[in-house]
Amino acid sequence: SSEEVLLLDPSHVSLRVRALPDEAVPALESRKNLEMLFFSDGNAVMESRITDRGLCELSRLSLPRLRLLDLGYCRKISDRGISCLPALTGVRRLGLLGCPGVSGEGLRSLRRMDGLVELDLRGCEVTDADIYNLRRMQNLERIQLGGCRKVTSDGVRRLQRQMPNTRVEKDEREWSFHQ
């Protein structure tokens, strides 16, 4: 809840907030030192409560030091919520592991996140054409695509050729550990 967020030690730079509901997201703005925000941790125990509305609320907050946003296994988010994320200009690492509501439309909006260096799309509903749209994101150092059933090895090679300085990975063996 909002009250619980406000009670946390303000020196913490990392928060695990899987149980945080949309209506409590504005309380995160009091955490000016926040660098890492994990909605992913605890996915085996409970469903994440954040939705598209919460993501859009998060994107309106002033979180100047936020560098990592992990939305892994947040099954209530979709392309609509992802489209709000480019407003978080300081985010360098974005985790969307196991988010089935994320597809090509969401990826198109992520292209506006110039500062991203790492993008985890494992288990998302993206295609070869969708990932090819990432080729202009030349600051990306790593893209993870394991579990993206509609991404082929040809699609990965094509993107890798366009992004020679980026590690484009599709490791199905590694992905099997997440299911």
Side-chain angles (χ1 to χ4, degrees):
S1 71
S2 300
E3 294 80 24
E4 291 171 318
V5 170
L6 295 173
L7 290 174
L8 294 170
D9 181 344
S11 67
H12 288 304
V13 297
S14 173
L15 289 180
R16 283 151 176 70
V17 291
R18 187 152 188 91
L20 192 71
D22 290 345
E23 57 273 7
V25 167
L28 293 171
E29 192 160 31
S30 67
R31 317 303 297 198
K32 296 298 182 193
N33 290 330
L34 190 60
E35 295 176 15
M36 296 175 281
L37 193 53
F38 296 91
F39 285 90
S40 57
D41 291 4
N43 69 287
V45 178
M46 71 180 313
E47 183 68 35
S48 174
R49 295 179 65 188
I50 195 159
T51 68
D52 291 336
R53 187 172 63 99
L55 281 186
C56 291
E57 191 67 41
L58 179 67
S59 72
R60 289 190 279 275
L61 303 181
S62 174
L63 298 170
R65 298 183 64 180
L66 186 63
R67 297 296 176 261
L68 183 146
L69 178 59
D70 190 343
L71 296 165
Y73 300 103
C74 290
R75 293 177 177 89
K76 296 177 184 173
I77 63 172
S78 70
D79 292 334
R80 197 174 113 231
I82 298 300
S83 71
C84 296
L85 295 182
L88 296 170
T89 57
V91 171
R92 301 292 175 254
R93 290 177 168 74
L94 179 60
L96 297 170
L97 168 72
C99 294
V102 177
S103 68
E105 185 180 331
L107 286 192
R108 282 189 288 283
S109 57
L110 293 181
R111 291 185 305 189
R112 298 190 319 265
M113 295 184 79
D114 296 333
L116 271 186
V117 295
E118 207 169 294
L119 181 58
D120 186 350
L121 297 171
R122 291 175 292 171
C124 292
E125 293 296 318
V126 295
T127 67
D128 288 347
D130 297 333
I131 65 166
Y132 193 67
N133 285 321
L134 298 174
R135 70 189 180 281
R136 292 187 182 94
M137 296 180 73
Q138 293 300 317
N139 288 331
L140 277 174
E141 297 170 5
R142 184 178 188 199
I143 303 171
Q144 293 173 278
L145 299 165
C148 296
R149 295 171 297 155
K150 299 175 186 171
V151 172
T152 66
S153 53
D154 286 342
V156 170
R157 280 192 294 277
R158 180 177 173 212
L159 181 60
Q160 186 67 76
R161 279 192 302 272
Q162 292 294 312
M163 302 178 81
N165 298 321
T166 303
R167 270 188 16 222
V168 181
E169 305 169 0
K170 186 169 195 276
D171 186 341
E172 296 304 330
R173 212 171 19 170
E174 184 274 337
W175 167 249
S176 68
F177 292 112
H178 294 280
Q179 299 179 348

